[in-house]
Amino acid sequence: MTAPADDSSEGGHSEAERRLHERTRSDDAGTSPDEPETGTTPRGPERDLGVREQMPENTVAPVDPGGGAATFEVVGVREGMFGVDGTGDTSGYGGLRRPVVMPGATQRPFGGWFDEVADQLASGLRQTGTGDVVERVVVDRGEMTVHVRRGHLLATVRQLRDDAALRFEFCSGVSGVHYPGDRGRELHAVYHLLSMTHNRRLRLEVSVPDADPHIPSVVSVYPTADWHERETYDFFGIIFDGHPALTRIMMPDDWPGHPQRKDYPLGGIPVEYKGATIPPPDTRRAYS
Amino acid sequence: MTSTQDAERADPYAQQSDYRSGPVFTVTGQDWDSVVSGAAEHDSERVVVNMGPQHPSTHGVLRLILELEGETVTEARCGIGYLHTGIEKNMEYRNWVQGTTFCTRMDYLAPFHYEAAYARGVERLLGIEADIPDKALVMRVLLMELNRISSHLVAIATGGLEIGALTVMTIGFREREQCLDVFELITGLRMNHAFIRPGGVSQDLPHGALDKVGDFVSLMKKRLPEYAALCNANPIFKARLVDVGYLDLAGCLALGITGPVLRSTGYDWDLRKKQPYGGYEEYDFDVVTWDTADAYGRFRIRVEEMWQSLRIIEQCAQRLQGMEGEPVMIGDKKIGWPAQLAVGSDGMGNSLDHIRHIMGESMEALIHHFKLVTEGFRVPAGQAYGVVESPRGELACHVVSDGGTRPYRAHFRDPSFVNLQAAPAMSEGGQVADVIVAVASLDPVMGGVDR
């Protein structure tokens, strides 16, 4: 039940593919992925798309996450089976390419109190004159994630905290996730909110490009976010504008780089056996 | 020995620093007079004290930077990160089951809660929350409540040690050792158990475990009144704790504080009651609150919570009596570890029945065993938030999967980390000695803070 089955259900698959096209289009403005590729070797999702069209048996069946998520969000591509490239890979799985699909936007009705919160948030933000804030709402595995555009994050959390019908007065924490394959939205900051009044949990997710990793700080609304944002800055390099003192918190002040990012170089372990070394964990053979 | 640091006595392990703000004293004990006389020369009451990270009163490798006017703390800041070991990053390079062995080492005083939070997150991602065997759930509750007792015992013991109440320390660690003996019997280890795993728990209860649990409960029922007799009305104890480390409800919510600190404001927020998980709704227990919002109230809450945990443990033991032979791991063979290991005569954990099956009877079983052990299982892409009420408050694990055999990201919302943010709010304006009490009443565990 954990491995994706081989048979694909048509509806979800075409939806994932459509999103793949959209992403490709927005990334490479001008070239349509439907036309034959010319010139440079395509990287990432485009290449994957070609392979998948040739080998329909290799397509990934949309995994039903069980929460009614109707669409999928491609955030990367998984290649091969054993983490080995080139001639070292004798497994025969080297050409296998599968998109990494996260649950995408959920269609209404979300179910339970999710609709109520979404409506209340939308109407509240409309009253305060804030623009189009919510990118999409994902209801998955019984949890609600609201993807918010960073420009209006502060207005959104203030609304979530102060509106009596929402009243998410408690911020559990902020954590970062790095999706290097999610181009233009590599860094995600995830805010876990809790409403003790209504006994509800809500997750906010803000995505920013690696080239411009700025997110407004929510410390003025949730003072507890102080250390969480410092930690996320320390580990991911997301800069929280307006934070009272955005310094490293775990790593030493003069530490170069942000260790939790997927592209952070990992060290191997020198072992005293005929000059051999253990390679860094990300270059070892592993099931991918 | 005290000395004014100058170029000749430079620290060989640090670069030469340029101190502009005033003279620097290295205090090593028994030398307060020379510090006072040295400070008197400069005619200033303002002293910046660097307390820790190696200091017996800071509850671990916590560095406190205190700005003092005389004996009054005007500003307090925490320096953390001295115990950062990159556990979350390490988890990304091990499979989903192996992640348990990492997160159990975060907060070494509450390992079962970390395993449970992680397991809950992974189980939600897998969509198997409803399929966990009852016996595994009861065993989880049993272990978590035993762990709550052992953790609160250390909180009270080290809190006592830090204010000089040595007997509180010795009796606290005496009882904790009994609790760890129970852990050792059930899991094989005193700490770092890796026992609660996605899908259930790794082992069935060993022979005689419930008797041992029963002995521990009756021992605690005799010993817990000692804490009350020793501390509750002790004038010295009360003088140190009452009205110290005050933080009201609004402060707690703004700073994200949960656990006994939040409950000491009178708010009965306990996830075991408010958002029951893992079968907690089936147990009869009370949420303990206090209304003084100070260190004394938190002490009383911890002692009373141990009584409540004993109640839950008794109910668990009773239920486990009738569950002999029931499975403790999910039936799905793609997730559950196939073997029930036992310690053999060679001291190694193995299962002779299972070895006979995979080596002599079924090639498919061997292949399956190999795949599950080396590759592990795949978890459908998505993210989940597994929450439990740890002894220190809301403990949550935000797990993200990309559909692979290893966690794409596992982030722990550690209650010690969050609660420590309240240390300045609790100690500024008070005396230096009260800082120790305030931090001890937060009960941060630095292994969890720094991860």
Side-chain angles (χ1 to χ4, degrees):
Chain A
M1 67 169 294
T2 51
D6 277 335
D7 55 322
S8 68
S9 93
E10 201 50 45
H13 170 238
S14 61
E15 181 63 27
E17 199 144 88
R18 187 183 61 74
R19 294 189 150 265
L20 209 59
H21 279 272
E22 277 180 4
R23 179 61 50 78
T24 314
R25 219 170 265 137
S26 60
D27 282 335
D28 313 57
T31 57
S32 163
D34 297 320
E35 292 165 10
E37 297 288 345
T38 52
T40 56
T41 313
R43 291 288 304 165
E46 307 96 299
R47 188 169 53 160
D48 166 70
L49 196 66
V51 172
R52 292 191 326 134
E53 279 169 357
Q54 289 158 21
M55 294 187 286
E57 72 277 13
N58 279 346
T59 54
V60 173
V63 184
D64 180 24
T71 59
F72 296 90
E73 193 68 17
V74 179
V75 294
V77 178
R78 186 190 305 283
E79 300 194 359
M81 221 17 200
F82 303 101
V84 181
D85 286 331
T87 52
D89 182 15
T90 55
S91 67
Y93 285 96
L96 186 61
R97 278 178 189 80
R98 293 155 295 169
V100 175
V101 284
M102 301 296 269
T106 310
Q107 306 302 318
R108 279 177 185 269
F110 304 137
W113 52 265
F114 297 147
D115 292 285
E116 189 188 325
V117 165
D119 293 339
Q120 186 69 26
L121 179 63
S123 70
L125 289 170
R126 217 176 298 121
Q127 277 170 17
T128 54
T130 319
D132 189 16
V133 172
V134 177
E135 263 178 19
R136 62 177 187 275
V137 175
V138 181
V139 175
D140 178 41
R141 296 170 169 96
E143 296 178 4
M144 184 186 197
T145 310
V146 179
H147 291 256
V148 178
R149 291 191 180 81
R150 61 175 161 182
H152 301 297
L153 175 66
L154 215 50
T156 311
V157 290
R158 190 165 288 132
Q159 186 71 33
L160 284 168
R161 185 193 65 173
D162 293 345
D163 188 331
L166 297 168
R167 196 64 84 207
F168 287 89
E169 68 274 82
F170 190 89
C171 177
S172 283
V174 182
S175 62
V177 191
H178 185 207
Y179 298 99
D182 195 7
R183 283 185 290 164
R185 313 152 40 89
E186 286 90 353
L187 294 167
H188 293 218
V190 185
Y191 301 78
H192 308 278
L193 305 183
L194 167 67
S195 167
M196 290 175 166
T197 310
H198 303 293
N199 212 354
R200 295 165 174 171
R201 282 183 192 280
L202 178 71
R203 185 158 48 219
L204 293 184
E205 194 159 336
V206 182
S207 314
V208 290
D210 204 359
D212 177 30
H214 289 268
I215 294 178
S217 166
V218 300
V219 172
S220 57
V221 180
Y222 296 116
T224 181
D226 184 342
W227 283 17
H228 294 288
E229 289 185 351
R230 282 177 64 191
E231 188 188 341
T232 310
Y233 160 72
D234 194 354
F235 287 148
F236 291 91
I238 298 176
I239 298 166
F240 292 92
D241 296 322
H243 189 284
L246 193 67
T247 51
R248 288 187 183 272
I249 189 163
M250 294 293 176
M251 308 305 287
D253 289 345
D254 54 355
W255 192 265
H258 300 283
Q260 286 271 22
R261 295 168 61 114
K262 294 286 178 186
D263 53 10
Y264 184 80
L266 302 175
I269 305 157
V271 290
E272 292 185 15
Y273 182 72
K274 298 180 180 176
T277 56
I278 296 173
D282 52 346
T283 57
R284 286 177 209 160
R285 279 180 69 112
Y287 293 94
S288 55
Chain B
M1 195 197 97
T2 305
S3 65
T4 304
Q5 197 155 349
D6 52 24
E8 287 102 64
R9 276 195 78 263
D11 183 347
Y13 298 107
Q15 288 181 331
Q16 188 58 44
S17 299
D18 184 12
Y19 297 107
R20 294 212 180 90
S21 53
V24 176
F25 300 95
T26 307
V27 183
T28 54
Q30 309 277 316
D31 50 4
W32 191 240
D33 289 342
S34 51
V35 177
V36 172
S37 59
E41 280 175 31
H42 290 271
D43 194 32
S44 169
E45 284 281 284
R46 178 178 169 274
V47 184
V48 179
V49 173
N50 228 322
M51 200 173 120
Q54 308 294 339
H55 192 283
S57 294
T58 54
H59 226 83
V61 278
L62 167 67
R63 176 181 168 213
L64 289 164
I65 304 135
L66 308 172
E67 194 174 314
L68 310 176
E69 287 283 343
E71 274 281 307
T72 307
V73 179
T74 53
E75 280 208 62
R77 291 292 179 272
C78 298
I80 63 170
Y82 295 93
L83 215 53
H84 176 60
T85 46
I87 292 177
E88 289 173 0
K89 182 82 172 175
N90 265 315
M91 289 171 80
E92 294 171 12
Y93 295 97
R94 301 289 189 280
N95 69 35
W96 288 94
V97 174
Q98 286 171 319
T100 319
T101 55
F102 282 84
C103 64
T104 191
R105 283 160 170 79
M106 289 181 171
D107 181 339
Y108 35 81
L109 295 184
F112 287 118
H113 293 89
Y114 282 69
E115 295 168 17
Y118 174 73
R120 270 174 53 73
V122 178
E123 283 158 8
R124 177 164 288 184
L125 279 177
L126 285 165
I128 57 168
E129 279 175 298
D131 305 331
I132 311 299
D134 281 347
K135 186 169 185 185
L137 292 177
V138 178
M139 282 177 70
R140 284 181 182 182
V141 171
L142 172 77
L143 290 166
M144 282 195 284
E145 291 309 319
L146 282 167
N147 201 172
R148 192 180 312 278
I149 292 179
S150 74
S151 175
H152 279 347
L153 283 170
V154 175
I156 290 168
T158 52
L161 172 73
E162 286 156 12
I163 59 170
L166 222 53
T167 313
V168 178
M169 190 275 281
T170 52
I171 62 172
F173 276 97
R174 179 186 67 187
E175 265 81 88
R176 173 182 184 249
E177 208 55 38
Q178 303 297 317
C179 196
L180 296 190
D181 284 348
V182 180
F183 292 161
E184 191 175 358
L185 179 67
I186 294 176
T187 72
L189 291 164
R190 297 167 76 244
M191 319 164 99
N192 306 336
H193 314 277
F195 190 74
I196 298 175
R197 299 188 183 168
V201 298
S202 73
Q203 291 280 317
D204 202 349
L205 280 177
H207 184 68
L210 289 179
D211 296 338
K212 183 108 178 169
V213 171
D215 292 346
F216 175 73
V217 171
S218 48
L219 177 83
M220 285 305 288
K221 283 184 172 171
K222 276 209 288 289
R223 296 277 175 83
L224 275 180
E226 282 186 28
Y227 291 84
L230 187 61
C231 301
N232 279 4
N234 184 326
I236 305 173
F237 196 77
K238 286 182 80 172
R240 290 297 305 273
L241 264 61
V242 171
D243 291 338
V244 173
Y246 182 85
L247 192 67
D248 63 6
L249 180 60
C252 281
L253 290 191
L255 291 168
I257 314 299
T258 45
V261 184
L262 176 60
R263 290 193 282 275
S264 73
T265 65
Y267 186 25
D268 62 340
W269 182 263
D270 187 324
L271 291 172
R272 294 176 294 172
K273 280 277 189 220
K274 300 282 183 182
Q275 300 175 354
Y277 54 89
Y280 265 113
E281 63 274 17
E282 296 162 16
Y283 297 93
D284 186 24
F285 67 101
D286 298 320
V287 176
V288 186
T289 58
W290 207 257
D291 57 0
T292 54
D294 62 357
Y296 181 73
R298 288 161 210 149
F299 163 77
R300 294 295 294 266
I301 286 176
R302 290 200 172 98
V303 174
E304 191 55 39
E305 279 189 0
M306 288 197 271
W307 282 109
Q308 298 300 328
S309 291
L310 288 177
R311 279 176 73 187
I312 301 175
I313 290 166
E314 283 180 323
Q315 295 167 53
C316 289
Q318 202 174 8
R319 294 179 62 177
L320 285 168
Q321 297 280 12
M323 296 178 125
E324 207 161 321
E326 288 188 22
V328 295
M329 186 43 104
I330 187 169
D332 187 342
K333 290 197 179 301
K334 292 242 181 247
I335 297 169
W337 194 263
Q340 281 280 315
L341 300 182
V343 180
S345 55
D346 54 356
M348 306 291 280
N350 47 37
S351 166
L352 295 178
D353 287 343
H354 184 64
I355 292 173
R356 188 180 307 117
H357 181 56
I358 61 173
M359 300 305 285
E361 293 171 1
S362 168
M363 185 65 188
E364 289 73 23
L366 177 65
I367 294 170
H368 177 73
H369 177 98
F370 178 76
K371 288 291 278 179
L372 189 59
V373 172
T374 58
E375 180 178 355
F377 50 79
R378 287 178 189 274
V379 172
Q383 53 184 336
Y385 198 64
V387 199
V388 298
E389 179 80 26
S390 88
R392 277 162 273 283
E394 176 177 321
L395 165 65
C397 178
H398 174 221
V399 274
V400 184
S401 173
D402 67 344
T405 57
R406 307 185 290 193
Y408 190 74
R409 167 99 169 106
H411 177 261
F412 280 78
R413 188 266 184 204
D414 184 275
S416 302
F417 175 82
V418 187
N419 290 5
L420 199 53
Q421 286 193 91
M426 284 183 176
S427 45
E428 283 173 8
Q431 307 271 293
V432 188
D434 295 343
V435 176
I436 307 300
V437 176
V439 172
S441 77
L442 287 169
D443 188 28
V445 174
M446 298 314 288
V449 173
D450 294 341
R451 282 157 292 151

